[in-house]
Amino acid sequence: AEENPALLAFYYYRSDEPQKALYYLERAAARAESLDASTHASELWRRALKAAKAIGDKEAIRRAEAALR
């Protein structure tokens, strides 16, 4: 399952578990960046930012905002 963080990110993003969504969204975004899939990575970082804001994780908010610059 960890081999496909984007799938888990999508699942948890749609559920009521923003903490798990954030965990997998950050991993999926980093993986997309490493594969030069910048459009996909940006969408994942936007979702990560939304999840981070939902749980009030200031450090994750900073990471997502930095990645979106």
Side-chain angles (χ1 to χ4, degrees), residues 33 41-43 45-47 49 63-69:
E33 287 173 341
S42 293
E43 177 57 32
W45 280 119
R46 280 192 287 279
R47 290 180 182 187
L49 179 59
R63 286 192 304 268
E65 287 176 340
L68 287 167
R69 286 189 192 115

Side-chain angles (χ1 to χ4, degrees), residues 37-59:
S38 59
T39 301
H40 184 57
S42 293
E43 177 57 32
L44 291 165
W45 280 119
R46 280 192 287 279
R47 290 180 182 187
L49 179 59
K50 187 174 180 181
K53 286 180 177 179
I55 60 175
D57 186 330
K58 291 179 182 175
E59 187 58 38

